[in-house]
Amino acid sequence: MRILDQARLRLRSLCRRPNVEFELEAELRFHLDQLIEENISSGMPPEEARRAAQRMIGGIAQYKEECRDMRRVNIVEDLVQDVRYTIRSLAKSPGFTGVVVATLALGIGANTAIFTIVHGVLLRPLDYPKPDQLMYLTAESPAIGGTRNALSAPEYTEFRQMNQSFAAVGAYSTGGAAYTTGEVNLTAGDRPLRVRSISVDAHLLKALSIQPEQGRFFSDEETARWTGTLPPPIAILSHELWRTAFGGRPLVGQKVEIEGRPHEIVGIMPPGADVMDNHTQVWLPLWLHPSTARQRGGHVLYVIARLKDGVTFEAAQTELNAFVEDWGERVGTKDHVPTNRPLRAVDHTLQLRALQDAIVGNASRPIWVLQAAVGFVLLIVCANLASLTMARAGSRRREFVLRAALGASRGRLLRQSVTEGAVMSGAGGILGLWLASAGVRALIRAYPTSIPRTSELTIDLPVLLVALGLSTGTALLFGFVSLGRGRTSSMVTALKEGARGASGAWRHYARRGLVIAQVAFAVMLVIGAGLLVQTVYNLTRIDAGFDRSRLVTFSMTLPMANSDPDTRAQAYQRVLDRLRSVPGVLGTVAMSGLPPNRTPDAIATPIENYTSDDGRPFEIIDYYQFVMGDYFGTMGIPIVAGRGFERTDNASQGKVAIVNETLAKRIWKGQNPIGQRLRPPGGSFGATDDVWHTVIGVAKDVRQRGVERPAGTELYVSLDQHRVSPPSMNVVMRTTLPPAALSGTIERVVREVDAAVPVVRLRNMDSVFAESIRRPRLLAQLLGAFAGLALLLAAIGTYGVLSYMVTERRREIGIRVALGATRSHVLTQIMKQGLQVTALGVTIGLAGALAVNRLIASLLFGVQPTDTATIAFVIATITAVAVVASWLPAWRASRLDPNVVLKDE
């Protein structure tokens, strides 16, 4: 009870302080009156009785302080007092307060925003049970640069049967014969939608260990029997699609039209359920055409496996290496099996990696580079604020000495300084959190596909703790820097110095050292940003092989369930014919793959009178391009030898094809490719048989897998000649009109052909090109913004130090001018000091940049980490900024009137 009474008293003392003070005053007054009455009753005169009573009690104020100390709430009261004093003090210096809070907000906000990405993408575990057990198995073909490719169906089945390290092994596909390119047409009510899809088997759902929110998952029977011509008409919807497209109404057991035929919805996924950051909206049963399921060369399945409890990644990798060493002997065939020595173009091996690493991919290094960059920005912010705080502490030196002389302890002064820092850091931290939240949202909107796991980017507890740590650290920095090295002089000296606030030599050196550090960090950031900006410039100047000006493109998919290859070709032809008649449209073409950001097809193609290096009569061709219309004329791709496709080819019995320069050089090596023959698989574009095609032309190379990669081998086939078409095609128009002006016309034309087919990804080709370099552009823009902020802070730091130096040396400068020093001499001397500090910072920063920039070498294109032009430009820019920052206080010093200065002193 005593503890509760004490707690109640302390709480009352804090919350109802005026009442408690009144009661204390009344109680002490009561005791004083009692003593006075006793003295009067003993015969003393009233005045003498009062004086005697006061001597007996002592000082009432002292008793009050003792009583307050016994309540043990004085620390809180002092804190409240410090906060009130801080607010009054900062309100008197709005300029200083505004600069500090804004600088802190930028530094903390930038670091919080990037750490949100680091935590959400790299540090946070995947949202699956025991995510560290999930592994990703891919095929690698190093001889042709093929990485993270799918496995064939026989390899997947054999691995499931052989392995002993995994509790579950499942597969998925984002394409295949039934559902094309990882997207499907879905009708919600009367609205046609194009949504993200994935085809999975029941084993994958077991490996991921996720449970449906409603209904059930697919059974083994529904995903393992690869027979017939189409998969079972069942589907599972994502929670998000169910809510947005169907309003969350009961849907399990109902039918929804997907790819032109009704599908029974058997389940609803839990919120956020996904595979490989695919933003999956529709889950479909995995189904392969029986012929594809038997082909060892058909790499169509991606594999995810869950380790057994107690099995490590190293043990599973060792087991996989043993399998790959003698895979052929284990399965009884040597035809296209994995090997540990993949030296030939047709060879491949298998590689195991953590699922989270596979999802993040090559985004890890750019994200860590950004985190390092904002770390430098934070160091510059701290250095800048330390310099400002030291300058302000110097101007308040007289105040600190007076307070110490009046009895304030060093701890009390430190607490006051820390409180000031905490108030400004708290304000800066809150504003920084808001900036971080807004920045992350804007980043996701501007670059939705450039950062993996964007749906998991939230400012959660770890991010808040980082922001709190940054704010606390800066608050302590304020406190310790404000007091500096303690009492360095007597009170008399401090009072004589007055408002000049002179400081010791260590403060001068410390401020200059801080400016040097700011300039050095700024140099490192600006050089790194300059290299990345040069990289983006180089990428935009690359000749992708076609003329992307005035090109508008969109995609559409005709369902396989209610169309066959020849009717699809007729439908696409009607779309092209009607779009050609639109005023302002100069040419229209349809193609299977849209450059410059395609996934390789890697199709084995027989070639007449040809033997590959490994003795086979075929070659793996990287890209097949199936076209309708005047493809080369519309795209602006030159034919460097022979001719392009012509209308007369459509009536010819002999089939023709065009190859690119890389394929011609690789296959025929100096021979004339015109007249040579090859046989593309008819099943790859909807034909029923494989026929020989005669090469009639050689086209200029087109970069297909990103503008930064060299062109691969490519084969062009005219669908007009075959009168068939695959389900999905990209339509490209050369036009004088923007996409927005064509939108209504395109939707009307497509709706006339098939009302259930949506138009997707309507944009100009410049947007497609920009999408292919989105990640380098994002990195360059963010690093450029951080570098600009660092440069601004370094300029402010230089200006601040020189301005404070001019303020301290006003008397000296006035005497120099009075003794005959010219204004130009004063100007030169002040600017010389600023440029000396800048030169030291540039030298140190340049050395640091040469050491650190090697870490970003893999992110550069067409420029070296030691690029002389970039470094020279950065040095010139920083020098120019330093000249401006130094000239302003130097000019102010040169304009001092010695009569006014000496009179003030």
Side-chain angles (χ1 to χ4, degrees), residues 316-510:
Q317 184 66 59
T318 301
E319 182 187 59
L320 177 62
N321 293 339
F323 291 161
V324 174
E325 185 67 33
D326 58 353
W327 195 289
E329 287 77 6
R330 290 174 182 266
V331 301
T333 180
K334 297 289 186 180
D335 181 31
H336 198 71
V337 296
T339 175
N340 274 337
R341 292 168 290 280
L343 303 178
R344 304 173 302 176
V346 295
D347 292 336
H348 71 284
T349 188
L350 300 183
Q351 183 170 338
L352 197 66
R353 54 173 58 87
L355 182 62
Q356 182 162 344
D357 293 341
I359 292 174
V360 173
N362 57 5
S364 176
R365 182 179 290 268
I367 291 175
W368 283 118
V369 167
L370 287 176
Q371 184 62 67
V374 293
F376 282 157
V377 171
L378 183 63
L379 291 175
I380 294 174
V381 166
C382 290
N384 196 290
L385 295 181
S387 181
L388 288 174
T389 305
M390 290 174 66
R392 188 166 187 263
S395 64
R396 297 177 63 191
R397 188 160 169 266
R398 185 183 184 189
E399 172 195 339
F400 286 140
V401 171
L402 278 172
R403 294 182 65 183
L406 294 174
S409 66
R410 182 167 177 78
R412 186 70 181 82
L413 295 177
L414 178 62
R415 190 168 61 195
Q416 176 63 52
S417 299
V418 171
T419 302
E420 289 186 4
V423 170
M424 289 187 288
S425 299
I430 293 172
L431 182 57
L433 277 175
W434 180 83
L435 290 175
S437 178
V440 170
R441 290 196 302 269
L443 197 64
I444 293 174
R445 284 196 300 269
Y447 294 92
T449 60
S450 298
I451 303 173
R453 305 180 66 185
T454 53
S455 60
E456 302 178 56
L457 298 184
T458 58
I459 297 181
D460 51 10
L461 181 60
V463 177
L464 290 175
L465 290 176
V466 168
L468 178 62
L470 294 176
S471 300
T472 303
T474 52
L476 294 175
L477 174 70
F478 275 114
F480 288 110
V481 171
S482 294
L483 287 187
R485 286 170 42 178
R487 299 183 178 90
T488 56
S489 61
S490 66
M491 181 181 69
V492 175
T493 304
L495 295 178
K496 285 182 177 180
E497 289 168 352
R500 285 178 292 167
S503 57
W506 78 273
R507 287 186 179 269
H508 290 291
Y509 292 128

Side-chain angles (χ1 to χ4, degrees), residues 531-857:
L531 293 173
L532 289 172
V533 169
Q534 184 65 41
T535 290
V536 173
Y537 176 78
N538 293 340
L539 290 173
T540 58
R541 302 292 294 178
I542 287 177
D543 180 10
F546 63 95
D547 180 12
R548 65 179 188 267
S549 63
R550 299 188 300 168
L551 289 181
V552 173
T553 177
F554 67 92
S555 300
M556 57 181 290
T557 299
L558 298 173
M560 293 184 65
N562 53 14
S563 66
D564 49 36
D566 57 345
T567 58
R568 289 195 296 268
Q570 296 171 16
Y572 278 116
Q573 193 61 58
R574 291 198 301 273
V575 170
L576 296 180
D577 291 341
R578 293 175 185 179
L579 289 177
R580 289 191 188 105
S581 64
V582 175
V585 175
L586 308 177
T588 308
V589 65
M591 66 193 75
S592 57
L594 188 67
N597 198 24
R598 292 177 58 190
T599 301
D601 300 306
I603 298 176
T605 307
I607 300 173
E608 190 176 47
N609 301 322
Y610 172 77
T611 303
S612 64
D613 295 338
D614 55 358
R616 298 173 184 264
F618 62 82
E619 180 71 21
I620 303 293
I621 295 181
D622 298 327
Y623 302 98
Y624 269 35
Q625 187 70 289
F626 308 116
V627 302
M628 300 178 70
D630 184 14
Y631 174 77
F632 297 99
T634 302
M635 292 292 289
I637 301 174
I639 299 294
V640 297
R643 65 177 178 85
F645 296 123
E646 298 176 353
R647 289 185 178 272
T648 56
D649 296 327
N650 300 342
S652 173
Q653 293 297 318
K655 306 304 181 184
V656 296
I658 295 174
V659 299
N660 72 342
E661 295 173 288
T662 299
L663 180 57
K665 293 174 183 177
R666 179 178 298 179
I667 301 301
W668 293 289
K669 296 175 182 170
Q671 302 179 36
N672 185 7
I674 308 300
Q676 304 289 346
R677 297 203 305 168
L678 31 67
R679 190 170 62 194
S684 60
F685 55 94
T688 57
D689 55 356
D690 302 346
V691 298
W692 288 101
H693 288 59
T694 302
V695 176
I696 61 171
V698 178
K700 180 182 177 180
D701 283 341
V702 175
R703 296 178 184 249
Q704 298 282 1
R705 200 179 184 183
V707 295
E708 76 280 5
R709 301 191 183 193
T713 56
E714 187 168 10
L715 175 68
Y716 298 91
V717 176
S718 173
L719 297 178
D720 295 328
Q721 190 179 30
H722 289 272
R723 294 183 175 85
V724 296
S725 171
S728 293
M729 294 289 279
N730 299 283
V731 179
V732 176
M733 297 172 288
R734 187 165 293 279
T735 175
T736 58
L737 303 174
L742 291 167
S743 175
T745 301
I746 292 172
E747 290 181 356
R748 176 178 53 80
V749 168
V750 173
R751 191 164 51 247
E752 290 173 355
V753 173
D754 191 329
V757 174
V759 173
V760 295
R761 289 185 286 277
L762 175 61
R763 51 194 171 161
N764 57 38
M765 193 59 76
D766 286 330
S767 299
V768 178
F769 190 89
E771 178 71 10
S772 69
I773 59 172
R774 62 190 185 281
R775 188 165 291 171
R777 187 189 298 273
L778 170 63
L779 184 60
Q781 288 178 344
L782 289 179
L783 201 59
F786 297 148
L789 176 60
L791 191 59
L792 175 64
L793 292 175
I796 293 174
T798 303
Y799 171 81
V801 166
L802 291 180
S803 295
Y804 185 73
M805 183 192 68
V806 168
T807 300
E808 282 192 324
R809 297 175 59 188
R810 287 179 77 251
R811 185 169 184 269
E812 173 193 341
I813 294 172
I815 293 175
R816 287 177 178 270
V817 173
L819 293 178
T822 63
R823 299 190 183 277
S824 61
H825 177 75
V826 173
L827 182 72
T828 303
Q829 289 298 313
I830 301 298
M831 288 194 64
K832 179 179 178 182
Q833 295 185 38
L835 294 179
Q836 285 176 343
V837 171
T838 302
L840 284 173
V842 168
T843 303
I844 297 172
L846 182 59
L850 294 177
V852 172
N853 283 351
R854 290 178 296 177
L855 300 177
I856 65 170

